[in-house]
Structure formats: structure tokens, C-alpha cells
Amino acid sequence: MSVSLWKFGFAAALALLPASMAAAQEALDADEMAALCYGGGSICVSAKIPAARSTQAVQSWMSPDVGAAWAAGYKGKGVTITIVDDFSSSSRFSGNFGIGTQYQRHGEWTREEASMIAPAATIRSKDFSTGSAVSLASGRNVLNLSYGMYASAGYSVNQIGWAPEESSIISYATKGSAIVSKAAGNDSVAIGGVTGGEQDYLDLALIGKPTAIFVGALSTNGTTSSKAELAWYSNYAGSNTAVQSHFLVVGVEGNKTGLYGTSFAAPIISGYAAIIGSKFTSATPVQITNDLLNTARTDTLVNYDASIYGKGEASLSRALAPVAIH
């Protein structure tokens, strides 16, 4: 049975616009999710990657662990991050990652964020409106999915007629061919939960896959002295232990960037995975995934509960600490 699916860009309605820009646009309700809906177009838009900056600076929205990793020489070299996202629609919104206010598409934002976390990684763009299979580069690969695939609730995953795009992603996560960083969603429900009568079937298809990581958002980066809590909009792990064991949270400090949503949590984990891969150059995607999951912190979170935070807050410093990973 084939089920009609809709793609949703998770962060569009959670991006805050400066007053000067918002005045010229139709206002968005911050509680409303804006959908980026596409058909099965056959033209793949070639999205240009911005030239790498000659100097890299740790931004205030980043965890301090990022600067420590860079200082140790680990910036993602040798790892390819493919951003599967919107690079062709007319939908744009503003934000500032600390390098000046910009007005970009959803995919341009998530791509820029991943490239800022892992500046030496190879960054590729895959426009998700085409539906064609995602190809892997040689070496280690990370796929960033800051979107969901929604349809009416009640179907089994086996009833979904996946396009080659999602079919290839699910296959890579199943075989352990690539690390898949999947934004948890912004509906304040458990992964796989029903919202508005619909479910994210891409979430459901990735549950239990060895290299799939679901990423929720904290309202800030946590510390032991100033613990963080789940952002009000973020989906959470829920009672399924298979989800809990592959669920991480990271700080999404929208008060500093103007960008809110788990869309901006997933690229942080994508960047972390690339940085880890640049240290442990012989590690497999499964080993890198497990390293991220098994080194997460719970002591930086308010009232830690696995059904909320999964494995906990991703800790790049702890993930990089071992001499080797297995």
C-alpha cells in the first residue's frame, strides 16, 4: 500500500524575524509549524556551498567543547556531511549565527550550522524536493535530516511506499553505512507520537537502526552548575527503550541566534560526529554513533529522565577523550 507523505521543514515557523523584516512579511504564529511541501520533482537544484572562512571563531551559541576540539586539531577533516533539506523553495527566514544577520532557506541554515561546528568536514547539499536517492561519498558519511515525513496516523512502516531518497537513508542507517542525525521534531510529543492526527513515519522507520540518532533541543547548553532543560517545543524520547538508547539532546540557544527548533539541534550532532571521525580515523559509523551515545551527560540536565532526555546531553569532550573507540 502506498501512503501519501508530506515533508515538513521543522524550524521555519520557529525562526524569529527582526521587526524591520517581519513588517514586510505575513506574520507567523510561533506555535504553528510551517510546512514545506513538495511533489516528486526531477530537477535537483545545485546549491552553492559558501567559501570557507579563513578564520574560525567559537560562537557563543556553541558548547565550549567545540573550541577545545578545534584546539586539539579535530575539525571534521576526512568526513562528509550531507545536508538533506530545502535548497530550492521560496521560503526564507532570518537569523544570525554570530557572523551577521542573513536571510536564507531552511537547508542553507542547517548546512551553515553544521559547517561552523565542523569547519574541516566536506559539506554536501541534497535538495529534498527531488526524491532521488542520497549518494554517499568515499570514506565516512554523516546525513543530516532536519525534516520529517508525515501522514495520517495508524499505518505501519511497512505500508509506506518510500521514495528512493528516504529509502536510501533508511537503508544506510540499517546497514550502518552512514550516521543519520534526525531532528526530533517540534510538537512536544514523544518520538513516533501522534500530532494533529499525523505521525512522522521517517522517525518510525529509523527506530532501532544502529546509526540513527534522534536529536532533541535544550533551551541552552547545560553545565553542572547551570543545568539545562528540554526546550518547550522539542519532542522527547518517550517510553520506547529503542528510542531512548538513540536519543540525544543539545543546546539550541535561539535567544542568541534567532533560530529555534530541533532543526538546529541535528546539525550540531552532525558536526560532532564529523569531529569525532576526524580523530578516530579508522572508526566505523556504528562506533562513532555509539561513542556519542555512550558518552552523553546526565548531570547537566534538570531532573534527568530517560523518557525525556534519552541518553542525555551530547558531550563532545567526553566522546573525544578515549585513545580509541571500539
PDB file of all heavy atoms in Angstrom, residues 8 50 54 109 111 133 135 164 170 175 264 292 301:
ATOM      1  N   PHE A   8       8.082  18.098   6.040  1.00  0.00           N
ATOM      2  CA  PHE A   8       7.978  19.299   6.851  1.00  0.00           C
ATOM      3  C   PHE A   8       9.368  19.789   7.225  1.00  0.00           C
ATOM      4  O   PHE A   8      10.163  19.025   7.748  1.00  0.00           O
ATOM      5  CB  PHE A   8       7.201  19.019   8.146  1.00  0.00           C
ATOM      6  CG  PHE A   8       5.717  18.926   7.958  1.00  0.00           C
ATOM      7  CD1 PHE A   8       5.151  17.820   7.355  1.00  0.00           C
ATOM      8  CD2 PHE A   8       4.892  19.944   8.371  1.00  0.00           C
ATOM      9  CE1 PHE A   8       3.781  17.726   7.188  1.00  0.00           C
ATOM     10  CE2 PHE A   8       3.518  19.857   8.205  1.00  0.00           C
ATOM     11  CZ  PHE A   8       2.958  18.755   7.615  1.00  0.00           C
ATOM     12  N   PRO A  50      28.971  28.044   0.576  1.00  0.00           N
ATOM     13  CA  PRO A  50      29.759  29.255   0.813  1.00  0.00           C
ATOM     14  C   PRO A  50      31.230  28.916   1.009  1.00  0.00           C
ATOM     15  O   PRO A  50      31.570  27.872   1.559  1.00  0.00           O
ATOM     16  CB  PRO A  50      29.151  29.811   2.113  1.00  0.00           C
ATOM     17  CG  PRO A  50      27.799  29.195   2.204  1.00  0.00           C
ATOM     18  CD  PRO A  50      27.919  27.853   1.564  1.00  0.00           C
ATOM     19  N   SER A  54      38.451  32.116   6.374  1.00  0.00           N
ATOM     20  CA  SER A  54      39.866  31.922   6.642  1.00  0.00           C
ATOM     21  C   SER A  54      40.142  31.740   8.122  1.00  0.00           C
ATOM     22  O   SER A  54      41.114  31.102   8.512  1.00  0.00           O
ATOM     23  CB  SER A  54      40.669  33.118   6.097  1.00  0.00           C
ATOM     24  OG  SER A  54      40.210  34.325   6.686  1.00  0.00           O
ATOM     25  N   TRP A 109      20.463  27.257   6.181  1.00  0.00           N
ATOM     26  CA  TRP A 109      20.739  27.458   7.604  1.00  0.00           C
ATOM     27  C   TRP A 109      21.343  26.211   8.235  1.00  0.00           C
ATOM     28  O   TRP A 109      22.347  26.290   8.951  1.00  0.00           O
ATOM     29  CB  TRP A 109      19.469  27.849   8.349  1.00  0.00           C
ATOM     30  CG  TRP A 109      19.103  29.290   8.227  1.00  0.00           C
ATOM     31  CD1 TRP A 109      17.966  29.816   7.667  1.00  0.00           C
ATOM     32  CD2 TRP A 109      19.866  30.410   8.679  1.00  0.00           C
ATOM     33  NE1 TRP A 109      17.987  31.188   7.737  1.00  0.00           N
ATOM     34  CE2 TRP A 109      19.145  31.579   8.352  1.00  0.00           C
ATOM     35  CE3 TRP A 109      21.103  30.536   9.314  1.00  0.00           C
ATOM     36  CZ2 TRP A 109      19.613  32.860   8.657  1.00  0.00           C
ATOM     37  CZ3 TRP A 109      21.584  31.803   9.618  1.00  0.00           C
ATOM     38  CH2 TRP A 109      20.838  32.953   9.290  1.00  0.00           C
ATOM     39  N   ARG A 111      22.831  23.727   6.804  1.00  0.00           N
ATOM     40  CA  ARG A 111      24.153  23.481   6.213  1.00  0.00           C
ATOM     41  C   ARG A 111      25.213  24.386   6.835  1.00  0.00           C
ATOM     42  O   ARG A 111      26.311  23.936   7.182  1.00  0.00           O
ATOM     43  CB  ARG A 111      24.085  23.719   4.703  1.00  0.00           C
ATOM     44  CG  ARG A 111      25.418  23.533   3.979  1.00  0.00           C
ATOM     45  CD  ARG A 111      25.252  23.807   2.505  1.00  0.00           C
ATOM     46  NE  ARG A 111      24.941  25.213   2.239  1.00  0.00           N
ATOM     47  CZ  ARG A 111      24.469  25.672   1.083  1.00  0.00           C
ATOM     48  NH1 ARG A 111      24.233  24.833   0.091  1.00  0.00           N
ATOM     49  NH2 ARG A 111      24.229  26.957   0.920  1.00  0.00           N
ATOM     50  N   ALA A 133      17.634   9.141  -4.757  1.00  0.00           N
ATOM     51  CA  ALA A 133      18.432   8.505  -3.709  1.00  0.00           C
ATOM     52  C   ALA A 133      19.581   9.404  -3.275  1.00  0.00           C
ATOM     53  O   ALA A 133      20.147  10.160  -4.076  1.00  0.00           O
ATOM     54  CB  ALA A 133      18.968   7.169  -4.195  1.00  0.00           C
ATOM     55  N   SER A 135      23.309   9.806  -2.326  1.00  0.00           N
ATOM     56  CA  SER A 135      24.555   9.077  -2.573  1.00  0.00           C
ATOM     57  C   SER A 135      25.546   9.356  -1.446  1.00  0.00           C
ATOM     58  O   SER A 135      25.540  10.432  -0.849  1.00  0.00           O
ATOM     59  CB  SER A 135      25.157   9.484  -3.919  1.00  0.00           C
ATOM     60  OG  SER A 135      25.467  10.870  -3.923  1.00  0.00           O
ATOM     61  N   PRO A 164      12.921   6.912  -3.395  1.00  0.00           N
ATOM     62  CA  PRO A 164      14.321   6.476  -3.323  1.00  0.00           C
ATOM     63  C   PRO A 164      15.144   7.258  -2.296  1.00  0.00           C
ATOM     64  O   PRO A 164      16.071   6.712  -1.704  1.00  0.00           O
ATOM     65  CB  PRO A 164      14.826   6.710  -4.751  1.00  0.00           C
ATOM     66  CG  PRO A 164      13.609   6.548  -5.600  1.00  0.00           C
ATOM     67  CD  PRO A 164      12.491   7.146  -4.790  1.00  0.00           C
ATOM     68  N   ILE A 170      17.137   5.231   5.025  1.00  0.00           N
ATOM     69  CA  ILE A 170      16.779   4.166   5.961  1.00  0.00           C
ATOM     70  C   ILE A 170      17.719   2.978   5.792  1.00  0.00           C
ATOM     71  O   ILE A 170      18.150   2.359   6.776  1.00  0.00           O
ATOM     72  CB  ILE A 170      15.314   3.747   5.749  1.00  0.00           C
ATOM     73  CG1 ILE A 170      14.376   4.909   6.092  1.00  0.00           C
ATOM     74  CG2 ILE A 170      14.958   2.510   6.580  1.00  0.00           C
ATOM     75  CD1 ILE A 170      12.958   4.735   5.574  1.00  0.00           C
ATOM     76  N   LYS A 175      22.081  -0.545   7.714  1.00  0.00           N
ATOM     77  CA  LYS A 175      23.338  -1.257   7.452  1.00  0.00           C
ATOM     78  C   LYS A 175      24.532  -0.656   8.190  1.00  0.00           C
ATOM     79  O   LYS A 175      25.609  -1.259   8.200  1.00  0.00           O
ATOM     80  CB  LYS A 175      23.622  -1.252   5.946  1.00  0.00           C
ATOM     81  CG  LYS A 175      22.585  -1.985   5.110  1.00  0.00           C
ATOM     82  CD  LYS A 175      22.881  -1.841   3.627  1.00  0.00           C
ATOM     83  CE  LYS A 175      21.835  -2.553   2.780  1.00  0.00           C
ATOM     84  NZ  LYS A 175      22.081  -2.361   1.317  1.00  0.00           N
ATOM     85  N   PHE A 264      17.805  22.804  14.358  1.00  0.00           N
ATOM     86  CA  PHE A 264      19.123  23.355  14.652  1.00  0.00           C
ATOM     87  C   PHE A 264      19.829  22.580  15.754  1.00  0.00           C
ATOM     88  O   PHE A 264      20.932  22.943  16.166  1.00  0.00           O
ATOM     89  CB  PHE A 264      18.995  24.840  14.991  1.00  0.00           C
ATOM     90  CG  PHE A 264      18.381  25.601  13.852  1.00  0.00           C
ATOM     91  CD1 PHE A 264      17.089  26.098  13.947  1.00  0.00           C
ATOM     92  CD2 PHE A 264      19.056  25.760  12.657  1.00  0.00           C
ATOM     93  CE1 PHE A 264      16.503  26.753  12.873  1.00  0.00           C
ATOM     94  CE2 PHE A 264      18.476  26.412  11.576  1.00  0.00           C
ATOM     95  CZ  PHE A 264      17.199  26.917  11.689  1.00  0.00           C
ATOM     96  N   LEU A 292      29.162   8.641  20.677  1.00  0.00           N
ATOM     97  CA  LEU A 292      28.336   9.802  21.006  1.00  0.00           C
ATOM     98  C   LEU A 292      27.261   9.453  22.038  1.00  0.00           C
ATOM     99  O   LEU A 292      27.036  10.194  22.998  1.00  0.00           O
ATOM    100  CB  LEU A 292      27.672  10.341  19.734  1.00  0.00           C
ATOM    101  CG  LEU A 292      28.394  11.427  18.965  1.00  0.00           C
ATOM    102  CD1 LEU A 292      27.755  11.615  17.594  1.00  0.00           C
ATOM    103  CD2 LEU A 292      28.382  12.741  19.742  1.00  0.00           C
ATOM    104  N   LEU A 301      21.586  18.181  33.239  1.00  0.00           N
ATOM    105  CA  LEU A 301      20.177  18.293  32.872  1.00  0.00           C
ATOM    106  C   LEU A 301      19.288  18.392  34.105  1.00  0.00           C
ATOM    107  O   LEU A 301      19.533  17.735  35.124  1.00  0.00           O
ATOM    108  CB  LEU A 301      19.758  17.074  32.039  1.00  0.00           C
ATOM    109  CG  LEU A 301      20.542  16.883  30.732  1.00  0.00           C
ATOM    110  CD1 LEU A 301      20.205  15.533  30.109  1.00  0.00           C
ATOM    111  CD2 LEU A 301      20.243  18.016  29.761  1.00  0.00           C
TER     112      LEU A 301
END
